[in-house]
Amino acid sequence: AQSVAQPEDQVNVAEGNPLTVKCTYSVSGNPYLFWYVQYPNRGLQFLLKYITGDNLVKGSYGFEAEFNKSQTSFHLKKPSALVSDSALYFCAVRVSGRKSGGYQKVTFGTGTKLQVIP
Amino acid sequence: EAQVTQNPRYLITVTGKKLTVTCSQNMNHEYMSWYRQDPGLGLRQIYYSMNVEVTDKGDVPEGYKVSRKEKRNFPLILESPSPNQTSLYFCASQRRLAGGETQYFGPGTRLLVL
């Protein structure tokens, strides 16, 4: 069974400081990894994904994430946090390859609330 | 504008009164899905559909029904809602069934069952 862990329910960071939101995963096989952001009263928005290739993935709004296969991690980072980055962040994983019946389930983490303090 | 829409956005109902939450996408996506979001549990998949007339259960299908008669629509039906179905519901779509495809989410429907 595949799983995603976001060990921190909340992360607080001062505006202008670098931020990291942690994600570790467990799958049988090669993973596809995603980060989504949810602003208050809004649906989830795609930030970035890792499919294959370069371990450092750049996404929307200046966010990036590094795929680390040995540590099974996909932490989300940003060099300088903005107050407008305050939101709920979800990591998700899907195993690559074609499963019998064609469906690969995606599993979401429980979410990390990012609070950027002015 | 490419989008996934859901209606209603907010709904208060009573136990046992059938309800339907509609979901529609204008991107000609093959794959659609319903999730519920609960504090501390993240998003859990209820049902998904790989194409018209092809649906299957996700992780938490009990108490829910779906249908996919048209490619763009994927309604979620609660035949007899119960208080444990109070939650925030999201519909999502993606272009095709491939692992690296991005999901596009609707704005959510907040349901309270009394």
Side-chain angles (χ1 to χ4, degrees), chain B residues 24-111:
Chain B
S24 183
Q25 51 91 5
N26 63 359
M27 295 170 278
N28 201 37
H29 285 175
E30 290 183 355
Y31 177 87
M32 298 184 74
S33 183
W34 275 103
Y35 294 89
R36 59 179 289 174
Q37 181 182 359
D38 301 291
L41 296 175
L43 274 77
R44 295 179 293 168
Q45 191 174 50
I46 303 170
Y47 268 95
Y48 65 93
S49 169
M50 291 191 282
N51 216 321
V52 175
E53 303 290 4
V54 182
T55 64
D56 206 349
K57 297 176 181 178
D59 295 321
V60 288
E62 295 77 20
Y64 304 95
K65 285 176 58 178
V66 293
S67 68
R68 187 97 180 269
K69 292 183 170 54
E70 305 166 281
K71 198 172 187 179
R72 63 183 293 128
N73 297 323
F74 190 44
L76 179 69
I77 303 156
L78 284 72
E79 294 269 0
S80 182
S82 62
N84 65 12
Q85 292 178 298
T86 292
S87 187
L88 179 58
Y89 292 86
F90 289 103
C91 180
S93 72
Q94 70 184 56
R95 185 166 55 117
R96 59 193 175 97
L97 186 64
E101 290 286 336
T102 300
Q103 290 195 75
Y104 296 84
F105 285 82
T109 296
R110 191 168 291 279
L111 172 65

Side-chain angles (χ1 to χ4, degrees), chain A residues 5-18:
Chain A
Q6 293 183 243
E8 300 154 318
D9 290 335
Q10 181 159 336
V11 170
N12 297 320
V13 62
E15 186 176 24
N17 282 2

Side-chain angles (χ1 to χ4, degrees), chain A residues 18-99:
Chain A
L19 70 87
T20 299
V21 182
K22 295 180 180 177
C23 172
T24 58
Y25 66 91
S26 174
V27 296
S28 299
N30 294 317
Y32 295 131
L33 293 154
F34 304 81
W35 275 103
Y36 290 86
V37 58
Q38 183 181 23
Y39 297 103
N41 299 314
R42 302 284 295 276
L44 278 72
Q45 297 177 31
F46 170 75
L47 270 182
L48 52 80
K49 65 182 176 183
Y50 170 82
I51 305 297
T52 186
D54 195 345
N55 289 343
L56 183 63
V57 179
K58 294 188 183 298
S60 307
Y61 313 121
F63 284 93
E64 59 187 29
E66 185 166 12
F67 170 64
N68 187 319
K69 189 171 184 177
S70 63
Q71 297 185 6
T72 62
S73 67
F74 190 57
H75 301 330
L76 181 69
K77 299 183 179 186
K78 187 174 182 181
S80 178
L82 300 173
V83 172
S84 58
D85 293 330
S86 298
L88 186 58
Y89 291 80
F90 288 96
C91 181
V93 66
R94 175 180 270 147
V95 68
S96 65
R98 194 154 185 87
K99 178 185 170 185

